[in-house]
Amino acid sequence: MIQTVAWVVSLIFMTAIAGIFLFVAIKSKEKREYEPIKKKWYKARTFYGTTLVIAFLVITIYTLRELPYNQPLYGDEQEPTIVDVEAFQFGWHISEKEFKVGEPIEFDVTSADVTHGFGIYDEDRNLIAQTQAMPGYTNTVYITFDEPGTYEILCLEYCGLAHHVMIATIEVTE
Ligand SMILES: [Cu+2]
């Protein structure tokens, strides 16, 4: 479907551009007074230029208004549960591992040694949230679980020989 639309739209634009080239080629033989044409099209150029700048400004502000994207999804009146996470070679220190469905949680993630990756997986092994665990920095992940279950924390950054044993589990109940 999208391919067909892209194909048709491309054809329309290519035809339009070819038409403009043809028009210019045909008209190029014609001799006319230059001054009035210049005046008219300079005005048009200013108009289209200004319109473009305004349009792009509006589109840019509109599409980027939610930056930064990793904002908490809960209201101001809700206090999130703060969970400290520290990655190390080769495991996780997680200050709290039991949560409720609908409970807003803020994971503050850092590392004790090298860079690790903090990834939260659901029971089907789909990655549902992640951030980098970096020594000297704290990265924040906001999440509110809407399904109960056992979630796994896996390291997403190859960090040494036993990288694959960096698995922790958290429980989410109704
Ligand atoms: Cu690791």
Side-chain angles (χ1 to χ4, degrees):
M1 179 61 199
I2 288 176
Q3 277 93 334
T4 316
V5 172
W7 182 222
V8 171
V9 169
S10 304
L11 269 186
I12 291 170
F13 276 110
M14 286 191 286
T15 315
I17 290 169
I20 291 167
F21 269 94
L22 204 67
F23 178 78
V24 171
I26 291 166
K27 286 283 181 181
S28 65
K29 302 255 167 14
E30 230 174 75
K31 294 261 184 285
R32 268 205 277 167
E33 193 65 51
Y34 187 53
E35 259 327 296
I37 297 172
K38 200 168 102 178
K39 227 174 151 189
K40 181 182 165 194
W41 288 105
Y42 273 20
K43 220 184 238 170
R45 191 172 68 175
T46 311
F47 173 75
Y48 286 121
T50 315
T51 312
L52 264 186
V53 168
I54 293 171
F56 276 115
L57 269 181
V58 170
I59 292 166
T60 304
I61 291 167
Y62 180 76
T63 52
L64 296 183
R65 70 197 187 287
E66 280 171 13
L67 269 180
Y69 293 122
N70 183 26
Q71 286 292 296
L73 295 170
Y74 42 87
D76 287 339
E77 66 290 341
Q78 263 180 304
E79 281 295 313
T81 306
I82 311 276
V83 182
D84 292 314
V85 178
E86 190 185 52
F88 61 92
Q89 285 169 315
F90 295 96
W92 301 97
H93 291 303
I94 302 170
S95 65
E96 205 178 320
K97 289 174 155 183
E98 279 164 26
F99 307 99
K100 291 253 175 277
V101 167
E103 171 186 357
I105 305 159
E106 175 185 320
F107 288 100
D108 292 337
V109 182
T110 189
S111 169
D113 36 49
V114 300
T115 297
H116 300 269
F118 172 82
I120 306 176
Y121 286 80
D122 68 11
E123 288 179 349
D124 298 324
R125 277 284 166 99
N126 291 315
L127 180 64
I128 56 168
Q130 65 91 26
T131 193
Q132 203 82 7
M134 300 147 78
Y137 292 87
T138 300
N139 291 322
T140 308
V141 177
Y142 299 100
I143 191 164
T144 303
F145 293 101
D146 37 42
E147 293 280 338
T150 304
Y151 291 78
E152 278 184 310
I153 313 287
L154 268 67
C155 182
L156 295 180
E157 185 79 56
Y158 182 72
C159 55
L161 274 183
H163 160 70
H164 60 282
V165 305
M166 287 185 65
I167 301 173
T169 53
I170 55 177
E171 290 292 337
V172 178
T173 51
E174 289 286 0

